[in-house]
């Protein structure tokens, strides 16, 4: 047998193809196949189900002692404006200006509880874009209790 055939048989990669993972992606579907149906799994992060996806949860998740609530914000305030103002008290790690029902309010998370306490002490009543803002400690919203099984007449089911 010629040495070239023996060498190709010893390698699991076809002649002229490398074994690197990035080179093992399937080729695009042939024009004779139905072009609107992709039959391969693909190599990208596309629809393989391994991406992080939406709904990563609230960015303000963390201990309540690191967060402060801010009220009295002007409607046109941007998060960057609020961050610049709040960074006078300590380095903020996350700033959010609420919209919808929460318009005029926001939340800021700091690296330490001391910085959050300092923000409440020093920035409550301060001016931001001509508005007096309220800075208060973050109070977690209590989860609503399950509705009881009582009927409106007072009888228990």
């Amino acid at each position: 047998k010629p040495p070239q055939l023996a060498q190709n048989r010893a390698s699991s990669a076809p002649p002229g193809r490398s074994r690197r993972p990035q080179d093992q992606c399937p080729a695009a579907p042939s024009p004779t196949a139905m072009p609107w149906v992709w039959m391969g799994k693909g190599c990208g992060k596309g629809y393989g189900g391994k991406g992080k996806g939406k709904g990563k949860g609230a960015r303000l998740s963390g201990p309540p002692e690191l967060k402060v609530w801010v009220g009295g914000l002007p409607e046109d305030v941007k998060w960057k404006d609020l961050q610049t103002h709040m960074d006078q008290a300590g380095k903020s790690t996350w700033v959010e200006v609420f919209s919808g029902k929460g318009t005029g309010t926001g939340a800021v998370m700091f690296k330490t509880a001391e910085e959050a306490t300092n923000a409440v002490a020093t920035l409550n009543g301060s001016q931001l874009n001509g508005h007096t803002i309220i800075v208060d400690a973050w109070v977690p919203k209590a989860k609503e209790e399950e509705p009881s099984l009582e009927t409106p007449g007072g009888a228990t089911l």
Side-chain angles (χ1 to χ4, degrees), residues 78-98:
K78 304 285 185 246
W79 71 268
K80 197 72 177 163
D81 300 332
L82 182 58
Q83 181 184 42
T84 303
H85 187 73
M86 298 303 285
D87 279 354
Q88 297 173 45
K91 180 68 180 144
S92 58
T93 58
W94 182 257
V95 178
E96 190 166 344
V97 175
F98 300 129

Side-chain angles (χ1 to χ4, degrees), residues 1 4 7 29-30 35 37 50 55 63 75 85 91 98 100 128 134 139-140 145:
K1 293 179 183 178
Q4 184 180 14
Q7 186 180 24
S30 69
V37 179
K50 294 183 181 178
E75 287 186 27
H85 187 73
K91 180 68 180 144
F98 300 129
L128 176 63
I134 303 163
V139 179
E145 293 183 17

Side-chain angles (χ1 to χ4, degrees), residues 1-50:
K1 293 179 183 178
Q4 184 180 14
L5 289 177
Q7 186 180 24
N8 283 342
R9 203 174 291 140
S11 170
S12 61
R17 303 273 287 175
S18 73
R19 298 187 65 195
R20 297 181 309 178
Q22 62 267 30
D23 293 336
Q24 295 177 358
C25 291
S30 69
T32 56
M34 292 182 275
W36 58 90
V37 179
W38 174 246
M39 300 303 287
K41 288 190 175 188
C43 290
K45 296 215 180 224
Y47 297 101
K50 294 183 181 178

Side-chain angles (χ1 to χ4, degrees), residues 66-71 73 78-97 106-110 115-124 126-128 133-136:
L66 299 181
K67 297 180 254 186
V68 296
W69 175 86
V70 184
L73 295 173
K78 304 285 185 246
W79 71 268
K80 197 72 177 163
D81 300 332
L82 182 58
Q83 181 184 42
T84 303
H85 187 73
M86 298 303 285
D87 279 354
Q88 297 173 45
K91 180 68 180 144
S92 58
T93 58
W94 182 257
V95 178
E96 190 166 344
V97 175
V108 180
M109 181 182 284
F110 290 93
E115 289 173 331
T117 305
N118 185 40
V120 172
T122 59
L123 297 176
N124 188 27
S126 63
Q127 293 283 319
L128 176 63
I133 62 169
I134 303 163
V135 182
D136 200 0

